[in-house]
Amino acid sequence: MTPIRQLRADAARNRELLLAAAEDEFAERGLAASISDIARRAGVAKGTVFRHFATKEELVAAIVCEQLDALAEVARSQLSAPDPEVGLVEFLTVTAARQHERDLSFLQAVTQTDSAVTALRDELHALVEQLVGRARDAGVLRSDVTGTDVWVLMCAPIHAVGYVSDPAPDLWRRYLALIFDGLRPDGAHPLPAAPPTWP
Amino acid sequence: MTPIRQLRADAARNRELLLAAAEDEFAERGLAASISDIARRAGVAKGTVFRHFATKEELVAAIVCEQLDALAEVARSQLSAPDPEVGLVEFLTVTAARQHERDLSFLQAVTQTDSAVTALRDELHALVEQLVGRARDAGVLRSDVTGTDVWVLMCAPIHAVGYVSDPAPDLWRRYLALIFDGLRPDGAHPLPAAPPTWP
Amino acid sequence: MTPIRQLRADAARNRELLLAAAEDEFAERGLAASISDIARRAGVAKGTVFRHFATKEELVAAIVCEQLDALAEVARSQLSAPDPEVGLVEFLTVTAARQHERDLSFLQAVTQTDSAVTALRDELHALVEQLVGRARDAGVLRSDVTGTDVWVLMCAPIHAVGYVSDPAPDLWRRYLALIFDGLRPDGAHPLPAAPPTWP
Amino acid sequence: MTPIRQLRADAARNRELLLAAAEDEFAERGLAASISDIARRAGVAKGTVFRHFATKEELVAAIVCEQLDALAEVARSQLSAPDPEVGLVEFLTVTAARQHERDLSFLQAVTQTDSAVTALRDELHALVEQLVGRARDAGVLRSDVTGTDVWVLMCAPIHAVGYVSDPAPDLWRRYLALIFDGLRPDGAHPLPAAPPTWP
DNA sequence: GATGAATGAGTTTTCATTCAT
DNA sequence: GATGAATGAAAACTCATTCAT
């Protein structure tokens, strides 16, 4: 149910409660999180979940949309940063920091077909493309790197940290820096495969 | 059931069939792949799965062990490569190529507690440490990079490719190269967080 | 799920149907009675059983509680019988008669650890103790007999009848009388072992 | 498989091992004891169990037969005791003592239809009838008590002890004595139901 | 709109029994 | 004869989804 029409105040509040609860549950239990648990955590009945989101997939899609939206906001604000390097790095840092708090990146995989998600993803991707373009033009990034390259590496720092058993809370910064160094022009070796096209 | 004693020929065959079928199913459906489907794919009855692997967890552990074993073999052989850079790059390339064929890296997460897996993981980690040490000593890698750093970034190229909808079959090589450039000494920026300890 | 809050009318009805069906199935098939069969007999879906009783154990406990409750009611009413002998005999008779209709005494064994069951069992035991005390003080029972003695012999008549292939419907009365004669003072021989303590 | 023909020495030994293991397992786990566990305990393969006993029921029947046989032996020996009271009491005591060591009485219920069991049961019943007849004729038992009455009460002492949580090891003697007092002539009240017929 | 009871397909796992080795 | 691998019919339990209240 895309909330086209205005929801009653309490319904809108329930929707927010549900999204928050679902994010928490998914972050803790992965996709296996159950609707029951989400409903309980949100303090509403199970039926109410389905009034707001016709299927579990729709709920997931709504969450992903929220996340994409929030990141787009960040990207837009960093697009007007005076320094292109700072803008891009800041964007990647905020992205990773949020993901570190509550990693929901695995929800992307389930929402490949959702059109609302796709639209927002395209939008965010375009913004990343701009951030990357600015940085590349400024000589901050190597010339053979594309926005899509950065897009797909965006989650890598958090993903990498997942292989350490008791990671320091800021370990992801290490891998973000390491990967970013690979994106810089200094000492760049030619890349063995063409950059991916979007979409 | 660790196959300590020799299995009968037909049982050994079924064990292989089951492992192969399970790898396929897990790769396609993730951890949610069902034992029923795995059995069907292997062409045996459900009960046979449990004769070979008492629980689903044990089956997963067996798969992970096989993978770690195979990679350790590769690592050992590359340790005797004359050129340290070639040795490390080759190891990372084979690792990624196999993972690209059938990505089962997500199974690692479920087997943190299995002792056989842990032992093999430590073993492989030690080999990676050596490969990395050789390369760093040879000046191929930046001095502040550790074996564990490389270990956690090992799966990043395939992970990155997962965010592209119709990736070229060798796209992962691009991200392996990009990340590897980040590990090189040229133009290295200081890293903002200490390297993780193992384990 | 202990039904603390009020159940909806239809749910309450299903709960009763389920308890009745379960009692029938358990009486016919023993503890091996399956949840599926119970559900079918109650005319509900399998899942509904688990909505009311989270596990099979919980269902068994609920049944045992009901039985203990009903017997406690009988005991209490007989405690105010003018004649202590009549009170005790009547209690034992009603107990055996019900058990004869549907013997679920074997469920006691599985619920030793359930706290609700334990509490009710203690309660009923205390009532039996009183019934027995009254009777013993009135000279109806031998002086070396305790409430716990009567408690453990309570199910013996029905148990005995179980060894006869085509028992007359009131055969249990014969064994109740025979055992009760053993509890009387006339011709009592000293007992070779101390009475058990409760619990 | 009734062992009509001679078994090879090792086969005969396996049969004994299996019966012993099965008795232990059934005593510990009840009817739910699994053939696998029994085979393991006996130190033979699962298939071997089925070579000796075509079904689980047959195995149970064989055990019951052994027990009935052993008790018949006891009964026969006590039939020639000089004192009828001692003979009967001794028989009931030995019976209860063995059952206390390893209670397999619940296996009776599953073997109502087995013809070998039925024959042996009839035989033992006839012996009990004789023991009881002698005692009754000697004035040790009340005149309205039959062999079948004693037969069905035979397991009651152990059954009663089962309702106590931490029973003293000889508590069963108390209930045997109590029940036996009910069978004595002193202070006997008329019985309310006719004695059961056999079978 | 909200509730929570009911559904039933699906999951992992067990086990008596069969049968190729 | 003995072995132990394979079978497949249950079993207990879960959960997204529907729907009466």
Side-chain angles (χ1 to χ4, degrees):
Chain A
M1 184 205 290
T2 339
I4 293 168
R5 69 192 177 296
Q6 233 20 307
L7 288 172
R8 258 170 43 182
D10 55 342
R13 174 156 170 68
N14 273 350
R15 190 172 198 279
E16 290 319 307
L17 284 172
L18 275 169
L19 282 172
E23 283 172 19
D24 288 347
E25 283 290 322
F26 281 131
E28 286 174 16
R29 303 239 206 288
L31 249 187
S34 83
I35 296 284
S36 291
D37 287 347
I38 291 169
R40 188 173 315 116
R41 190 160 190 154
V44 303
K46 218 185 324 185
T48 304
V49 183
F50 287 94
R51 172 158 298 280
H52 285 276
F53 310 98
T55 65
K56 196 181 182 180
E57 271 201 7
E58 219 172 85
L59 170 56
V60 170
I63 291 174
V64 172
C65 284
E66 276 224 331
Q67 311 254 316
L68 291 171
D69 231 23
L71 288 185
E73 183 96 6
V74 175
R76 264 185 292 264
S77 98
Q78 293 303 333
L79 262 179
S80 49
D83 181 340
E85 174 169 1
V86 168
L88 178 56
V89 167
E90 193 59 24
F91 171 71
L92 293 175
T93 302
V94 171
T95 297
R98 292 193 181 177
Q99 195 186 339
H100 176 251
E101 262 182 77
R102 213 162 44 176
D103 184 7
L104 295 170
S105 60
F106 61 91
L107 294 181
Q108 301 280 341
V110 208
T111 51
Q112 304 282 24
T113 57
D114 185 283
S115 67
V117 168
T118 304
L120 285 171
R121 194 143 44 201
D122 286 349
E123 202 177 318
L124 178 58
H125 179 268
L127 290 165
V128 171
E129 200 86 67
Q130 290 179 59
L131 282 167
V132 167
R134 282 210 319 162
R136 195 179 43 216
D137 294 350
V140 175
L141 297 184
R142 52 200 286 176
S143 63
D144 53 357
V145 120
T146 72
T148 305
D149 286 330
V150 172
W151 170 268
V152 302
L153 287 170
M154 234 164 66
C155 300
I158 298 301
H159 177 248
V161 166
Y163 289 96
V164 175
S165 31
D166 235 341
D170 60 346
L171 181 58
W172 56 270
R173 292 182 189 272
R174 180 175 179 89
Y175 298 112
L176 178 50
L178 221 31
I179 290 172
F180 201 85
D181 271 2
L183 299 172
R184 292 184 196 274
D186 329 68
H189 292 58
L191 295 172
T197 56
W198 186 266
Chain B
M1 185 203 294
T2 338
I4 293 168
R5 69 194 177 297
Q6 226 29 298
L7 285 175
R8 245 164 54 183
D10 53 346
R13 179 167 159 64
N14 272 346
R15 189 172 198 278
E16 291 318 310
L17 284 172
L18 275 169
L19 282 172
E23 283 172 17
D24 288 348
E25 283 289 323
F26 282 131
E28 286 176 16
R29 302 241 207 288
L31 246 188
S34 85
I35 297 284
S36 292
D37 288 347
I38 291 169
R40 186 173 318 115
R41 188 161 195 153
V44 303
K46 222 180 325 182
T48 303
V49 183
F50 289 97
R51 154 157 282 280
H52 288 272
F53 310 98
T55 63
K56 195 181 182 180
E57 271 199 8
E58 216 173 90
L59 170 56
V60 170
I63 292 174
V64 172
C65 283
E66 278 222 331
Q67 310 255 317
L68 291 171
D69 231 21
L71 288 185
E73 184 94 8
V74 176
R76 265 184 291 264
S77 96
Q78 293 304 332
L79 261 180
S80 49
D83 181 342
E85 174 169 4
V86 169
L88 178 56
V89 168
E90 192 61 22
F91 170 72
L92 293 175
T93 302
V94 172
T95 296
R98 293 196 180 173
Q99 196 188 338
H100 176 251
E101 267 182 72
R102 222 163 31 180
D103 183 7
L104 297 170
S105 57
F106 60 91
L107 294 181
Q108 300 279 343
V110 209
T111 50
Q112 303 283 25
T113 57
D114 185 284
S115 66
V117 167
T118 303
L120 286 172
R121 194 143 41 201
D122 286 348
E123 204 178 316
L124 179 56
H125 178 268
L127 291 165
V128 171
E129 199 87 65
Q130 291 180 58
L131 283 167
V132 167
R134 282 211 320 163
R136 197 178 40 214
D137 294 350
V140 175
L141 297 183
R142 52 200 286 179
S143 62
D144 55 356
V145 121
T146 72
T148 304
D149 285 329
V150 172
W151 170 270
V152 303
L153 287 170
M154 234 164 66
C155 298
I158 299 302
H159 177 249
V161 167
Y163 289 97
V164 175
S165 34
D166 238 339
D170 60 347
L171 181 57
W172 56 270
R173 291 181 191 273
R174 181 177 179 87
Y175 298 114
L176 178 50
L178 220 31
I179 289 170
F180 201 85
D181 270 2
L183 299 172
R184 293 185 195 275
D186 329 68
H189 292 57
L191 295 172
T197 56
W198 184 265
Chain C
M1 184 203 296
T2 337
I4 293 168
R5 68 194 178 296
Q6 224 32 295
L7 285 175
R8 244 164 55 182
D10 53 345
R13 177 166 161 67
N14 272 348
R15 190 172 197 277
E16 291 319 308
L17 284 172
L18 275 169
L19 281 172
E23 283 172 17
D24 288 347
E25 283 289 323
F26 281 132
E28 286 176 17
R29 300 241 207 288
L31 245 189
S34 86
I35 296 285
S36 291
D37 288 347
I38 291 169
R40 186 171 320 113
R41 188 161 193 152
V44 303
K46 220 182 327 180
T48 303
V49 183
F50 291 99
R51 154 158 282 280
H52 286 272
F53 309 98
T55 64
K56 195 181 183 179
E57 271 199 9
E58 217 174 89
L59 170 56
V60 170
I63 292 174
V64 172
C65 284
E66 278 222 331
Q67 311 254 316
L68 290 172
D69 231 21
L71 288 184
E73 183 94 7
V74 175
R76 266 186 290 265
S77 96
Q78 293 303 332
L79 261 181
S80 49
D83 182 341
E85 175 169 3
V86 169
L88 178 55
V89 168
E90 193 59 22
F91 170 71
L92 293 174
T93 302
V94 172
T95 298
R98 293 194 181 175
Q99 196 187 341
H100 176 250
E101 266 181 73
R102 220 161 36 177
D103 183 7
L104 296 171
S105 57
F106 60 91
L107 294 181
Q108 301 278 341
V110 208
T111 49
Q112 304 282 24
T113 56
D114 186 284
S115 67
V117 168
T118 302
L120 286 172
R121 193 142 45 202
D122 286 349
E123 203 178 317
L124 179 56
H125 179 269
L127 291 165
V128 172
E129 200 87 66
Q130 292 180 57
L131 282 167
V132 167
R134 281 212 320 163
R136 197 179 41 215
D137 294 350
V140 175
L141 298 183
R142 51 200 289 178
S143 62
D144 55 356
V145 122
T146 71
T148 305
D149 286 329
V150 172
W151 170 269
V152 303
L153 287 170
M154 234 164 66
C155 299
I158 299 301
H159 178 248
V161 167
Y163 288 98
V164 175
S165 33
D166 239 339
D170 60 347
L171 180 59
W172 55 271
R173 291 182 190 273
R174 180 176 179 86
Y175 298 113
L176 178 51
L178 221 31
I179 289 171
F180 202 85
D181 270 2
L183 298 172
R184 291 185 197 274
D186 328 68
H189 291 58
L191 296 171
T197 54
W198 184 265
Chain D
M1 184 206 290
T2 339
I4 293 168
R5 69 191 178 295
Q6 232 19 307
L7 288 172
R8 259 171 41 183
D10 56 342
R13 173 156 170 68
N14 273 349
R15 191 173 197 279
E16 290 319 307
L17 284 173
L18 275 170
L19 282 173
E23 283 173 19
D24 288 347
E25 283 289 323
F26 282 131
E28 286 175 15
R29 303 239 207 286
L31 248 187
S34 84
I35 297 283
S36 291
D37 287 349
I38 291 169
R40 187 173 314 117
R41 190 162 192 153
V44 303
K46 220 188 319 187
T48 304
V49 183
F50 287 94
R51 173 158 299 280
H52 287 275
F53 310 97
T55 64
K56 196 181 182 180
E57 271 201 6
E58 220 173 83
L59 170 56
V60 170
I63 291 175
V64 172
C65 284
E66 276 223 331
Q67 310 255 316
L68 290 171
D69 232 22
L71 287 185
E73 183 96 6
V74 176
R76 263 186 293 266
S77 97
Q78 293 304 333
L79 261 179
S80 49
D83 182 339
E85 173 169 2
V86 168
L88 178 57
V89 168
E90 194 59 24
F91 170 71
L92 293 175
T93 302
V94 171
T95 298
R98 291 193 181 177
Q99 195 186 340
H100 176 250
E101 260 183 77
R102 213 161 46 176
D103 185 7
L104 296 170
S105 60
F106 60 91
L107 295 181
Q108 300 280 341
V110 207
T111 51
Q112 304 284 22
T113 57
D114 185 282
S115 67
V117 168
T118 304
L120 285 172
R121 194 141 45 199
D122 285 349
E123 204 178 314
L124 178 57
H125 178 268
L127 290 165
V128 172
E129 199 86 69
Q130 290 179 58
L131 281 168
V132 167
R134 281 212 319 164
R136 197 178 41 216
D137 295 349
V140 175
L141 297 185
R142 52 201 286 177
S143 62
D144 55 356
V145 120
T146 72
T148 304
D149 285 331
V150 172
W151 170 268
V152 302
L153 287 170
M154 234 163 65
C155 300
I158 299 300
H159 177 248
V161 167
Y163 288 97
V164 175
S165 32
D166 235 342
D170 61 346
L171 181 59
W172 56 270
R173 293 183 189 271
R174 181 176 179 88
Y175 298 113
L176 178 50
L178 221 30
I179 289 171
F180 202 84
D181 270 2
L183 299 172
R184 294 184 195 274
D186 329 67
H189 292 58
L191 294 172
T197 56
W198 185 265

